Amino acid sequence: MTDPKIVSVDKLRRILTRHPGRKVVFTNGCFDILHYGHVKYLDAARTNGDILVVGLNSDASTRRLKGKGRPFNPQQDRAGVLAGLSCVDYIVFFDEDTPYALIKKIQPDILVKGGDWSKDKIVGADIVRAKKGKVLTIPYLSGRSTTRIIQKISRRH
Protein backbone atom coordinates (compact mmCIF):
# COMPACT_ATOMS: atom_id res chain seq x y z
CA MET A 1 0.00 0.00 0.00
CA THR A 2 1.39 3.37 -1.01
CA ASP A 3 0.88 6.45 1.11
CA PRO A 4 -0.78 9.34 -0.78
CA LYS A 5 1.93 11.67 0.53
CA ILE A 6 4.63 9.74 -1.38
CA VAL A 7 4.45 10.96 -4.96
CA SER A 8 6.42 11.17 -8.19
CA VAL A 9 7.77 14.55 -9.22
CA ASP A 10 5.28 14.70 -12.10
CA LYS A 11 2.33 14.02 -9.79
CA LEU A 12 3.65 16.58 -7.30
CA ARG A 13 3.84 19.22 -10.01
CA ARG A 14 0.20 18.51 -10.97
CA ILE A 15 -0.86 18.71 -7.31
CA LEU A 16 0.94 22.01 -6.77
CA THR A 17 -0.75 23.62 -9.79
CA ARG A 18 -4.07 22.99 -8.04
CA HIS A 19 -2.95 25.19 -5.12
CA PRO A 20 -2.04 28.58 -6.61
CA GLY A 21 -0.97 31.18 -4.10
CA ARG A 22 0.03 28.64 -1.46
CA LYS A 23 3.67 28.88 -0.37
CA VAL A 24 5.64 25.70 -1.07
CA VAL A 25 8.51 24.92 1.30
CA PHE A 26 11.14 22.43 0.17
CA THR A 27 13.79 20.61 2.14
CA ASN A 28 15.69 17.42 1.53
CA GLY A 29 17.77 14.74 3.17
CA CYS A 30 18.36 11.04 3.71
CA PHE A 31 16.40 10.80 6.99
CA ASP A 32 17.83 7.31 7.50
CA ILE A 33 17.19 7.04 11.23
CA LEU A 34 14.53 9.59 12.08
CA HIS A 35 15.16 11.27 15.44
CA TYR A 36 13.90 14.17 17.53
CA GLY A 37 16.20 16.66 15.79
CA HIS A 38 14.69 15.73 12.43
CA VAL A 39 11.14 16.09 13.72
CA LYS A 40 11.80 19.54 15.22
CA TYR A 41 13.59 20.61 12.02
CA LEU A 42 10.70 19.49 9.79
CA ASP A 43 8.15 21.13 12.10
CA ALA A 44 10.11 24.40 11.92
CA ALA A 45 10.46 24.15 8.13
CA ARG A 46 6.70 23.70 7.77
CA THR A 47 5.96 26.92 9.70
CA ASN A 48 7.51 28.92 6.83
CA GLY A 49 4.81 28.09 4.28
CA ASP A 50 1.63 26.22 3.41
CA ILE A 51 2.92 22.98 1.87
CA LEU A 52 6.06 21.13 2.99
CA VAL A 53 7.72 18.96 0.35
CA VAL A 54 10.57 16.68 1.41
CA GLY A 55 13.00 15.55 -1.26
CA LEU A 56 14.20 12.14 -0.04
CA ASN A 57 17.50 10.71 -1.22
CA SER A 58 16.96 7.32 -2.83
CA ASP A 59 18.81 4.29 -1.48
CA ALA A 60 21.48 4.61 -4.18
CA SER A 61 21.93 8.33 -3.53
CA THR A 62 22.15 7.77 0.24
CA ARG A 63 24.75 5.02 -0.27
CA ARG A 64 26.90 7.33 -2.42
CA LEU A 65 26.66 10.14 0.15
CA LYS A 66 26.87 8.18 3.41
CA GLY A 67 28.96 5.17 2.40
CA LYS A 68 28.78 1.40 2.43
CA GLY A 69 26.18 -0.03 4.77
CA ARG A 70 23.82 2.92 4.41
CA PRO A 71 20.99 3.48 4.38
CA PHE A 72 19.94 1.34 7.32
CA ASN A 73 16.31 1.72 6.31
CA PRO A 74 15.14 1.33 2.70
CA GLN A 75 13.69 4.36 0.95
CA GLN A 76 10.05 3.19 1.12
CA ASP A 77 10.35 2.75 4.89
CA ARG A 78 12.06 6.13 5.32
CA ALA A 79 9.35 7.75 3.22
CA GLY A 80 6.63 5.96 5.18
CA VAL A 81 7.97 7.27 8.47
CA LEU A 82 8.16 10.82 7.10
CA ALA A 83 4.62 10.49 5.74
CA GLY A 84 3.47 9.76 9.29
CA LEU A 85 4.47 13.27 10.37
CA SER A 86 1.63 15.77 10.21
CA CYS A 87 4.02 18.57 9.20
CA VAL A 88 5.06 16.76 5.99
CA ASP A 89 2.69 17.15 3.06
CA TYR A 90 4.56 15.34 0.28
CA ILE A 91 7.66 13.21 -0.18
CA VAL A 92 9.38 12.76 -3.52
CA PHE A 93 12.46 10.61 -4.14
CA PHE A 94 15.53 11.77 -6.03
CA ASP A 95 18.40 9.61 -7.19
CA GLU A 96 21.01 12.29 -7.83
CA ASP A 97 23.61 13.35 -5.26
CA THR A 98 21.92 16.74 -4.91
CA PRO A 99 18.30 17.83 -5.26
CA TYR A 100 19.14 20.53 -7.82
CA ALA A 101 17.15 19.04 -10.71
CA LEU A 102 14.21 18.32 -8.38
CA ILE A 103 14.19 21.89 -7.06
CA LYS A 104 14.26 23.16 -10.64
CA LYS A 105 11.18 21.06 -11.48
CA ILE A 106 9.24 21.92 -8.32
CA GLN A 107 10.11 25.64 -8.14
CA PRO A 108 9.47 26.03 -4.39
CA ASP A 109 8.87 29.44 -2.83
CA ILE A 110 11.02 28.68 0.21
CA LEU A 111 14.10 26.47 0.45
CA VAL A 112 15.11 25.27 3.92
CA LYS A 113 18.25 23.49 5.12
CA GLY A 114 19.83 22.77 8.47
CA GLY A 115 21.99 25.26 10.26
CA ASP A 116 25.21 23.50 9.24
CA TRP A 117 24.75 24.86 5.71
CA SER A 118 25.83 28.40 4.88
CA LYS A 119 23.21 30.10 2.72
CA ASP A 120 25.65 30.59 -0.15
CA LYS A 121 26.33 26.82 -0.33
CA ILE A 122 22.71 25.60 -0.32
CA VAL A 123 21.98 23.62 -3.47
CA GLY A 124 19.15 25.20 -5.45
CA ALA A 125 19.33 28.57 -3.69
CA ASP A 126 19.92 30.26 -7.05
CA ILE A 127 16.68 28.80 -8.43
CA VAL A 128 14.59 29.97 -5.46
CA ARG A 129 16.19 33.41 -5.29
CA ALA A 130 15.65 33.92 -9.05
CA LYS A 131 11.89 33.70 -8.43
CA LYS A 132 12.17 36.06 -5.43
CA GLY A 133 11.77 33.21 -2.94
CA LYS A 134 13.45 32.75 0.43
CA VAL A 135 16.38 30.58 1.43
CA LEU A 136 16.41 29.78 5.14
CA THR A 137 18.48 27.79 7.60
CA ILE A 138 17.14 26.24 10.77
CA PRO A 139 19.51 25.62 13.68
CA TYR A 140 20.20 22.05 14.71
CA LEU A 141 19.31 20.82 18.14
CA SER A 142 22.60 20.22 19.88
CA GLY A 143 23.66 16.59 20.29
CA ARG A 144 21.08 15.10 17.94
CA SER A 145 22.30 13.42 14.78
CA THR A 146 22.04 10.11 12.99
CA THR A 147 25.84 9.74 13.14
CA ARG A 148 25.75 10.16 16.91
CA ILE A 149 23.02 7.52 17.24
CA ILE A 150 25.00 5.09 15.08
CA GLN A 151 28.15 5.68 17.16
CA LYS A 152 26.24 5.11 20.39
CA ILE A 153 24.76 1.83 19.12
CA SER A 154 28.16 0.68 17.83
CA ARG A 155 29.81 1.27 21.23
CA ARG A 156 27.24 -0.97 22.88
CA HIS A 157 28.07 -3.98 20.70
Side-chain angles (χ1 to χ4, degrees):
M1 180 177 193
T2 303
D3 191 292
K5 289 184 177 184
I6 304 168
V7 296
S8 69
V9 67
D10 292 332
K11 183 170 184 178
L12 177 63
R13 288 174 62 178
R14 288 191 303 273
I15 291 166
L16 295 179
T17 61
R18 293 193 302 251
H19 300 286
R22 296 188 70 195
K23 296 289 183 192
V24 176
V25 180
F26 178 88
T27 193
N28 69 281
C30 298
F31 300 101
D32 193 8
I33 299 175
L34 198 67
H35 55 74
Y36 183 66
H38 287 137
V39 173
K40 295 310 284 181
Y41 166 79
L42 292 167
D43 274 341
R46 178 63 170 77
T47 66
N48 290 286
D50 303 308
I51 299 170
L52 177 59
V53 175
V54 176
L56 187 61
N57 291 77
S58 69
D59 289 344
S61 176
T62 300
R63 196 169 300 108
R64 286 192 304 274
L65 293 172
K66 303 293 184 178
K68 188 179 177 190
R70 299 284 300 273
F72 290 107
N73 293 299
Q75 64 191 37
Q76 281 301 131
D77 289 2
R78 291 183 284 126
V81 171
L82 287 169
L85 299 176
S86 61
C87 61
V88 175
D89 294 294
Y90 299 102
I91 300 113
V92 61
F93 297 111
F94 66 98
D95 199 39
E96 299 78 17
D97 291 346
T98 74
Y100 193 83
L102 182 58
I103 293 167
K104 195 169 188 169
K105 289 177 183 174
I106 296 171
Q107 293 286 316
D109 302 292
I110 300 138
L111 178 59
V112 178
K113 285 299 285 180
D116 59 333
W117 287 83
S118 62
K119 285 187 182 181
D120 61 329
K121 300 272 192 237
I122 295 175
V123 171
D126 60 323
I127 296 166
V128 174
R129 286 190 183 115
K131 61 178 281 184
K132 307 291 187 240
K134 294 180 192 174
V135 178
L136 307 171
T137 58
I138 295 174
Y140 274 143
L141 288 178
S142 180
R144 277 128 177 138
S145 75
T146 300
T147 301
R148 194 172 179 137
I149 291 169
I150 293 166
Q151 289 170 343
K152 190 173 182 178
I153 292 168
S154 294
R155 283 194 301 265
R156 291 184 181 180
H157 287 71

